């Protein structure tokens, strides 16, 4: 198309050829293309078939065969073979030495063993030169074993009469030196066996020397500790891993054995001399442990060593003080040594070492407190024995008061020093934001335990014990009120008050006084809202106990005491209303309910008084139900009123059932009517069912066995009125219940006449009537089946 044609001209031009002709041409071209494509596909299929027919047949390729899985590596096999070879050669050498030794002369023996030993010790150098390190290790092990056999052979030939322990000490020392020198040779330094073997042999000389020299327990223990020190030095200075591990095992093993033996010797020392020697051994063990802790790189391991060293020092000093001080001062002596360890806080030491010594001191102090624990337990739990012997008389002193049914521990004064000293340490020496609160709690608990135990320890008068424990309880409450450790102080106040109450049971005057004071204390503490959830219920509990004790002291009967106990539920209800929406309200209400239940239990043996108590409890419950958030308590009040009326009727020997059921029915029907007024859709069974059944059913049961006519007549009349009311208001529950009761009452009244009628009828009449009934039922059943068939046929014709 020429480029000079304008757009206006292009819009006005017509298609050449016309669209119909162009469409025909396109269809023709497409048909030709389809025909050509089919021809080409047929040709391609023929060519593929021809190529497949001319291709030679080759077998299918087989999957590559996997090599069998090996279960051991080449180095592993090599090491096993070398190890077995070395063991077999060693066994052969032992057999030769033990069995065939006697067949050779002295020269022959020396020549054979010397030659074999030298060959076994020299062969590793040639093997290492050729690069056979594993083989060299195996042969070197054989050579070391041969040196042991040489030492044994030498003892059998030249030193037959010598002491075995002494010869073992000398031989092991020489072997250790020989193996160490052999392992330090320039070429043998590549061997890993000689130096550990030398260290293992070095564990024996001092031990067997001490046995040979008859050094006794102290000498053997010293040998063990010196060996442990040598192992520790090797472990800290040697760089070879195998030697360092073996030295560490030796240091901890021989050191633990030596330290335990020294501690046993210290505890069993009968005099200052034995105690001093044991202390020297323990000091040596502590020096080894602390020296290792100073040099160990890992803080955790260093701290553990420092703890052990600190305990060894305490055992050393405490053992000397034990035999020096009088009897009973063992625990204070060890405690003094443990506290002395805290002097490290003033010395510049590595942190792991300092931490370990402090922990050792803490462990000793904990043991001292644990030793005083039986004393505290007797002082706090011992007064529980007065629960079986209450008001039997004032004991002679405070110790007799607490040890009423538990044995008193020996040396109480010395044992009590433990909590005192530990409390002082916690209060004065513990610092830090994280540890200080716990230290304050621990010191407070220990001081409180000391104060509670002090009267019995010093055998103070009984009244002094009461005053001191009461003062401790008051001080704890005061501390809690001013938020000084409130949780701990509150718990201590409760625990101390319980112990004080049981301690006061020995005397009537003490019991009344203590209960009154505790009630006042806890009631006053309840003015603090953060203490009220605990102290308010406690005050109510002690007030209940005070009411019971007052009634008993006045020689009142339990049912009369119950009236005094009811003051507590009343006070609890008033207090709960005043507390409002606080955490103390529910505990106060629960405590008041428990006190009311106790009052009911006290009055249960006297029905008239029980009725009065139940009625008063109902009045209190009704007063609680006045509050909008305690409406459900009204149900409890109704139940209590009902129980009170029943108990009162039973006390009057009223046997009529209606006297018990009508007080339930009338309020229930009133409530049901009120429910129907507020909710017209409420079911009559929900509104009136329970109320009607409460009287109708028990009365029906009573009327069934009643020979008189009055009860059935009244019950039938009442049932008829209920039916009429149900029919008037179209209520199902009155109709069903009233009708059922009326029919049953009528049958009950007609039963004698029906029995007479049955006796007058011939015997064939009942079977005949039964047969007629069955025939009627069968005919009705057949008719229903026919109706179903007709409906089925009609439906079939419709389809």
């Amino acid at each position: 198309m020429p480029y000079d044609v304008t757009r206006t001209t292009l819009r006005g031009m017509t298609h050449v050829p016309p669209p119909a002709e162009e469409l025909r041409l396109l269809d023709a071209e497409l048909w030709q293309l389809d025909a050509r494509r089919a021809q080409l596909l047929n040709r391609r299929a023929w060519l593929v078939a021809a190529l497949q027919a001319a291709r030679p047949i080759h077998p299918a390729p087989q999957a590559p065969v996997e090599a069998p899985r090996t279960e051991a590596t080449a180095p592993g096999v090599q090491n096993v073979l070398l190890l077995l070879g070395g063991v077999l050669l060693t066994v052969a050498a032992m057999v030769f030495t033990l069995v065939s030794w006697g067949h050779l002369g002295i020269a022959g023996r020396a020549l054979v063993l010397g030659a074999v030993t030298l060959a076994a010790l020299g062969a590793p150098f040639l093997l290492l030169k050729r690069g056979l390190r594993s083989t060299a290790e195996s042969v070197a092990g054989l050579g070391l074993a041969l040196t042991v056999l040489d030492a044994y052979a030498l003892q059998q030939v030249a030193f037959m009469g010598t002491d075995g322990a002494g010869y073992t000490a000398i031989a092991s020392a020489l072997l250790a030196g020989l193996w160490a020198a052999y392992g330090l040779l320039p070429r043998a330094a590549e061997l890993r066996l000689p130096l550990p073997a030398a260290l293992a042999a070095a564990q024996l000389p001092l031990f067997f020397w001490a046995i040979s020299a008859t050094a006794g327990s102290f000498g053997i223990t010293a040998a063990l500790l010196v060996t442990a020190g040598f192992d520790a030095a090797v472990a800290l200075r040697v760089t070879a891993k195998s030697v360092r591990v073996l030295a560490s095992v030796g240091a901890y093993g021989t050191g633990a054995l030596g330290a335990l033996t020294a501690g046993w010797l210290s505890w069993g020392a009968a005099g200052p001399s034995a105690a001093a020697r044991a202390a020297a051994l323990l000091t040596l063990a502590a020096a080894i442990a602390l020296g290792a802790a100073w040099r160990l790189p890992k803080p955790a391991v260093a701290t553990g060593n420092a703890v052990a060293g600190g305990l060894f020092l305490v055992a050393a000093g405490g053992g000397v003080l034990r035999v020096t001080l009088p009897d009973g001062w063992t625990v204070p002596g060890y405690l003094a040594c443990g506290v002395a360890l805290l002097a490290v806080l003033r010395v510049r030491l590595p942190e792991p070492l300092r931490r370990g010594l402090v922990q050792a001191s803490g462990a000793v102090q904990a043991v001292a407190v644990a030793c005083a624990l039986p004393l505290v337990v007797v002082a706090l739990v011992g007064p529980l024995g007065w629960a079986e012997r209450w008001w039997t008389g004032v004991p002679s002193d405070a110790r007799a008061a607490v040890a009423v049914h538990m044995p008193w521990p020996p040396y109480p004064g010395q044992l009590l020093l433990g909590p005192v000293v530990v409390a002082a340490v916690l209060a004065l020496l513990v610092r830090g934001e994280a540890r200080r609160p716990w230290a304050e709690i621990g010191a407070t608990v220990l001081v409180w335990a000391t104060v509670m135990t002090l009267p019995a320890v010093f055998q103070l008068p009984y009244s002094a014990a009461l005053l001191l424990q009461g003062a401790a309880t008051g001080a704890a409450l005061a501390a809690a009120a001013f938020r000084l450790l409130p949780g701990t102080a509150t718990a201590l106040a409760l625990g101390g008050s319980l112990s004080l109450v049981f301690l006061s049971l020995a005397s009537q005057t003490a019991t009344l006084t203590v209960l009154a004071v505790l009630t006042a204390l806890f009631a006053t503490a309840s003015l603090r809202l953060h203490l009220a959830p605990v102290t308010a219920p406690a005050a109510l509990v002690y007030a209940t106990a005070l009411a019971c004790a007052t009634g008993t002291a006045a020689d009142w009967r339990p049912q009369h005491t119950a009236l005094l106990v009811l003051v507590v539920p009343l006070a609890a209800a008033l207090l709960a209303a005043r507390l409002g929406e606080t955490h103390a309200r529910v505990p106060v209400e629960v405590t008041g309910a428990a006190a009311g239940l106790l009052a009911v239990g006290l009055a249960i043996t006297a029905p008239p008084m029980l009725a009065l108590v139940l009625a008063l409890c109902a009045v209190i419950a009704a007063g609680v139900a006045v509050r909008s958030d305690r409406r459900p308590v009204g149900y409890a009040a109704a139940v209590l009123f009902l129980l009170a009326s029943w108990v009162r009727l039973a006390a009057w020997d009223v046997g009529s059932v209606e006297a018990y059921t009508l007080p339930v029915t009338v309020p229930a029907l009133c409530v049901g009517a009120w429910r129907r007024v507020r909710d017209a859709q409420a079911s009559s069974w929900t509104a009136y069912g329970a109320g009607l059944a409460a009287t109708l059913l028990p009365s029906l049961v009573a009327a069934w066995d009643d020979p008189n006519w009055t009860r059935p007549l009244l019950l039938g009349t009442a049932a008829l009125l209920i039916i009429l009311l149900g029919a008037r208001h179209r209520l199902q529950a009155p109709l069903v219940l009233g009708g059922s009761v009326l029919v049953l009452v009528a049958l009950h009244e007609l039963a004698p006449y029906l029995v007479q009628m049955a006796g007058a009828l011939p015997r064939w009449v009942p079977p005949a009537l039964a047969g007629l009934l069955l025939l009627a039922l069968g005919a009705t059943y057949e008719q229903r089946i026919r109706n179903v068939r007709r409906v089925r046929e009609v439906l079939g014709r419709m389809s």
Side-chain angles (χ1 to χ4, degrees):
M1 181 183 293
Y3 289 95
D4 56 350
V5 180
T6 62
R7 294 181 177 272
T8 305
T9 305
L10 288 174
R11 292 192 187 98
M13 292 177 64
T14 60
H15 294 282
V16 179
E21 182 66 19
E22 185 178 359
L23 180 61
R24 185 184 65 80
L25 293 175
L26 290 176
D27 291 339
E29 291 292 337
L30 290 174
W31 180 84
Q32 292 178 1
L33 289 175
D34 291 337
R36 181 61 177 167
R37 184 174 184 274
Q39 181 183 3
L40 292 176
L41 288 175
N42 291 332
R43 181 63 178 172
R44 180 181 182 278
W46 181 87
L47 291 174
V48 170
L51 289 175
Q52 290 180 351
R55 182 179 300 170
I57 299 175
H58 296 284
Q62 297 182 354
V65 179
E66 296 183 359
R69 184 174 63 89
T70 58
E71 296 182 353
T73 62
V77 174
Q78 165 194 303
N79 293 333
V80 171
L81 294 176
L82 292 176
L83 177 62
L84 291 176
V87 171
L88 291 176
L89 288 175
T90 304
V91 172
M94 293 175 61
V95 172
F96 169 76
T97 304
L98 298 175
V99 178
S100 302
W101 178 258
H103 298 289
L104 299 175
I106 298 177
R109 300 170 190 172
L111 182 62
V112 171
L113 275 180
V116 173
T117 303
L118 291 176
L121 293 176
F125 295 96
L126 299 176
L127 294 173
L128 288 173
K129 187 176 182 180
R130 294 179 177 271
L132 302 175
R133 180 174 177 179
S134 298
T135 307
E137 290 282 359
S138 179
V139 176
L142 174 62
L144 298 180
L146 288 174
T147 56
V148 177
L149 294 176
D150 290 339
Y152 170 75
L154 183 62
Q155 194 268 343
Q156 292 295 320
V157 173
F159 303 102
M160 179 64 72
T162 58
D163 180 28
Y167 183 80
T168 303
I170 296 173
S172 58
L174 293 176
L175 288 175
L178 176 63
W179 294 348
Y182 179 73
L184 293 176
L185 292 175
R187 194 65 183 176
E190 301 179 17
L191 299 174
R192 291 176 294 181
L193 185 60
L195 291 180
L199 182 61
Q203 310 298 311
L204 304 178
L206 290 178
F207 178 76
F208 282 100
W209 173 81
I211 295 176
S212 175
T214 62
S217 301
F218 291 95
I220 295 174
T221 304
L224 290 174
L225 292 175
V226 172
T227 304
F230 169 75
D231 292 336
V234 172
L236 291 173
R237 299 182 65 87
V238 175
T239 58
K241 184 177 180 180
S242 58
V243 178
R244 189 169 66 250
V245 171
L246 183 61
S248 300
V249 172
Y252 283 109
T254 56
L257 181 60
L260 290 176
T261 306
W264 177 76
L265 293 173
S266 175
W267 185 257
S273 176
R277 285 182 289 169
L281 294 175
L282 288 170
T283 304
L284 175 60
I288 296 171
L290 295 175
W294 195 300
R295 298 289 303 274
L296 284 172
K298 294 183 179 180
V301 181
T303 300
N305 281 13
V307 170
L311 293 178
F312 295 156
L313 290 176
V314 172
V320 174
L321 293 177
R322 183 184 64 83
V323 298
T324 304
L325 298 174
D327 294 339
W329 288 90
T330 300
V331 174
Y334 282 101
L335 178 60
C337 296
V339 174
L341 287 180
L342 296 177
V344 299
L345 296 174
R346 303 277 183 181
V347 182
R348 298 183 62 181
L349 294 174
E351 184 60 27
L353 189 62
R354 182 198 303 267
R355 187 185 306 113
L357 292 174
V358 171
Q359 291 178 3
S361 176
V364 174
Q365 296 178 52
V367 172
V369 172
C371 292
L373 189 59
L375 190 68
V376 178
V377 170
V378 173
L380 295 178
V381 182
L384 294 177
W386 290 106
E388 299 178 353
R389 303 170 54 184
W390 51 282
W391 294 358
T392 55
V394 177
S396 59
D397 53 37
R399 182 176 297 181
V402 301
V404 63
H405 75 300
M406 297 179 69
W408 185 251
Y411 309 114
Q414 291 84 345
L415 292 178
L416 195 61
L417 288 176
V420 174
V421 173
V422 175
V425 170
L426 292 175
L428 299 177
L429 298 182
V430 177
R431 295 289 185 269
E433 297 181 359
R435 299 176 181 176
R436 186 60 186 173
W438 293 103
E440 292 177 351
I441 292 174
T444 302
V445 173
L446 292 175
V447 170
W448 174 82
T450 302
V451 173
M452 299 295 288
T453 312
L454 199 62
V457 170
F458 291 100
Q459 294 182 307
L460 298 179
Y462 175 69
S463 57
L466 294 176
L467 289 175
L468 194 57
Q469 292 193 5
T473 302
L477 278 178
F482 289 100
R483 298 184 182 276
L484 299 176
L485 301 176
T488 304
T490 304
L492 295 180
L494 289 175
S497 64
L498 286 175
S499 177
L500 180 60
V501 167
F502 283 100
L503 185 63
S504 67
L505 291 178
S507 170
Q508 174 180 316
T509 304
T511 302
L512 296 175
T513 304
V514 167
L515 289 175
V517 171
L518 289 178
T519 302
L521 279 176
F522 281 95
T524 304
S526 301
L527 298 177
R528 298 283 186 174
L529 293 180
H530 66 283
L531 296 180
V534 177
T535 56
L540 294 176
V541 169
Y542 289 132
T544 304
L546 178 61
C548 295
T550 302
T552 304
D555 292 331
W556 289 359
R557 294 183 177 180
Q559 59 267 27
H560 297 145
T561 305
L563 296 176
L564 186 60
V565 173
L566 283 178
V567 176
V568 176
L570 178 61
L574 298 175
L575 180 60
R578 183 178 179 83
L579 289 173
E581 296 292 336
T582 61
H583 296 291
R585 183 180 59 177
V586 174
V588 167
E589 290 174 343
V590 171
T591 307
L597 186 62
L598 175 62
V600 172
L602 291 173
I604 200 168
T605 57
M609 189 61 68
L610 178 60
L612 178 59
V613 170
L614 289 172
L616 293 176
C617 290
V619 171
I620 296 173
V624 173
V626 172
R627 292 158 47 194
S628 59
D629 56 341
R630 289 293 183 266
R631 298 297 188 199
V633 183
Y635 296 106
V639 172
L640 289 172
F641 275 124
L642 180 61
L643 291 176
S645 63
W646 286 357
V647 173
R648 184 71 264 179
L649 291 173
W652 286 338
D653 295 329
V654 176
S656 178
V657 177
E658 290 76 15
Y660 296 90
T661 58
L662 286 176
V664 180
T665 297
V666 173
L669 293 178
C670 293
V671 172
W674 177 68
R675 172 73 180 276
R676 292 273 298 179
V677 170
R678 298 189 62 182
D679 184 9
Q681 300 300 323
S683 172
S684 62
W685 289 102
T686 304
Y688 305 117
L692 293 175
T695 294
L696 291 178
L697 298 181
S699 297
L700 180 61
V701 174
W704 201 262
D705 295 331
D706 194 349
N708 299 320
W709 58 272
T710 306
R711 187 188 299 274
L713 177 61
L714 294 176
L715 181 60
T717 304
L720 180 60
L721 291 176
I722 292 171
I723 292 172
L724 295 175
L725 290 174
R728 170 69 178 79
H729 298 283
R730 298 180 180 179
L731 299 176
Q732 188 181 52
L735 285 173
V736 173
L737 291 175
S740 301
V741 171
L742 184 59
V743 170
L744 292 174
V745 170
L747 288 176
H748 174 265
E749 294 302 315
L750 294 176
Y753 302 103
L754 293 177
V755 172
Q756 293 177 3
M757 184 182 298
L761 290 174
R763 294 188 177 181
W764 57 268
V765 173
L769 293 176
L772 291 173
L773 178 61
L774 292 176
L775 288 175
L777 290 175
T780 304
Y781 187 72
E782 183 181 6
Q783 182 64 34
R784 289 182 178 177
I785 292 176
R786 291 176 61 188
N787 294 336
V788 171
R789 288 176 179 175
R790 288 178 182 177
V791 172
R792 185 183 300 169
E793 292 175 357
V794 171
L795 293 175
R797 289 195 298 268
M798 292 175 63
S799 63

